[in-house]
Amino acid sequence: MSLLALDNVHSYYGRIHALRGISLHVDEGEIVTLIGANGAGKSTTLRAISGLVHPRSGKIHLRDRDITGLPAHVIVASGVGHVPEGRGVFPRLTVRENLEMGAFTVSDPAEVRRRLEFAFELFPRLRERIDQKGGTLSGGEQQMLATARGLMLKPHILLMDEPSMGLAPVLVESIFTVIRDLNSNEGTTILLVEQNAHMALRVAHRGYVLQTGAIVLEDTAEHLRANDMVRKAYLGEH
């Protein structure tokens, strides 16, 4: 049984048919990436999983539980972490307060402290900025904070939406190193949306290609890197 499975999911924004029968699965311990042009439905797929968009039809299962249409806070408590596009840090809260918000389902203060320590080991820069307001951090630091906040849940699966957006190349390398290490060292399962298809297919095990709300291709990352259509459309090769 897959950790996460979508079966023929259709979602709309008003009259706009954003997802057109999305079916995909993510197995325990995998990094799976969604690639495609802007507007292809990648972010909407993540938002449907995390309860921010309610599917019009189709099913979403987390292990053996049907989470289709559940409120977002219930889905989070079920073990789905979401690092949103644009980072979404709380600008007036400190780094510590942002991280503590990520552990809102944890009632044991000692466990919250353990998870904070893990976040600071993963991103030492955040320890240095612990009392700084989230809105005053650099773009790279905000991405670190958003990722660490998502991990405070200790999620069964972490949804990451465009983690490299707007970052300098050296920070992009750093973020993807963390993604790879989270998976290989901690066993974190990740569903990754990323405009930088080169980087995404370097860290992922498998991938899906989306066009206008539908999946047009599914394969291993290695095979997708070698696919002529992917190379021309998303890797800039001719």
Side-chain angles (χ1 to χ4, degrees), residues 46-169:
L46 298 194
R47 290 168 63 84
I49 295 165
S50 61
L52 300 175
V53 172
H54 293 307
R56 185 81 59 88
S57 62
K59 293 293 183 182
I60 302 173
H61 282 88
L62 185 67
R63 292 202 173 100
D64 58 352
R65 183 181 185 189
D66 185 351
I67 62 170
T68 315
L70 292 179
H73 71 278
V74 175
I75 293 175
V76 169
S78 300
V80 177
H82 191 164
V83 182
E85 181 181 2
R87 293 144 201 161
V89 302
F90 299 105
R92 297 185 180 182
L93 299 185
T94 65
V95 166
R96 178 193 293 275
E97 290 166 340
N98 266 275
L99 292 173
E100 289 173 344
M101 288 293 286
F104 78 96
T105 62
V106 183
S107 57
D108 179 5
E111 179 61 22
V112 173
R113 287 194 295 272
R114 282 192 290 272
R115 296 186 187 189
L116 279 171
E117 189 57 34
F118 173 74
F120 294 142
E121 288 174 5
L122 198 62
F123 298 109
R125 185 82 60 86
L126 296 181
R127 192 193 300 274
E128 300 169 10
R129 304 284 191 268
I130 189 168
D131 294 318
Q132 192 169 324
K133 294 286 200 308
T136 67
L137 301 177
S138 70
E141 290 166 346
Q142 288 191 16
Q143 186 60 59
M144 295 174 195
L145 180 56
T147 302
R149 184 183 61 194
L151 291 167
M152 289 291 289
L153 175 69
K154 278 198 173 176
H156 299 311
I157 185 167
L158 185 65
L159 314 179
M160 300 192 73
D161 197 349
E162 301 286 7
S164 78
M165 182 180 288
L167 299 186

Side-chain angles (χ1 to χ4, degrees), residues 13 17 26 35 48 64 105 111 120 130 135 150 163 170 177 183 212 226 228 238:
Y13 292 115
H17 196 172
V26 183
I35 61 176
D64 58 352
T105 62
E111 179 61 22
F120 294 142
I130 189 168
V170 65
T177 297
N183 178 256
T212 58
D228 284 343
H238 301 286

Side-chain angles (χ1 to χ4, degrees), residues 2-17:
S2 297
L3 173 58
L4 175 75
L6 280 66
D7 181 20
N8 197 29
V9 171
H10 291 258
S11 291
Y12 290 76
Y13 292 115
R15 294 182 179 179
I16 298 172
H17 196 172

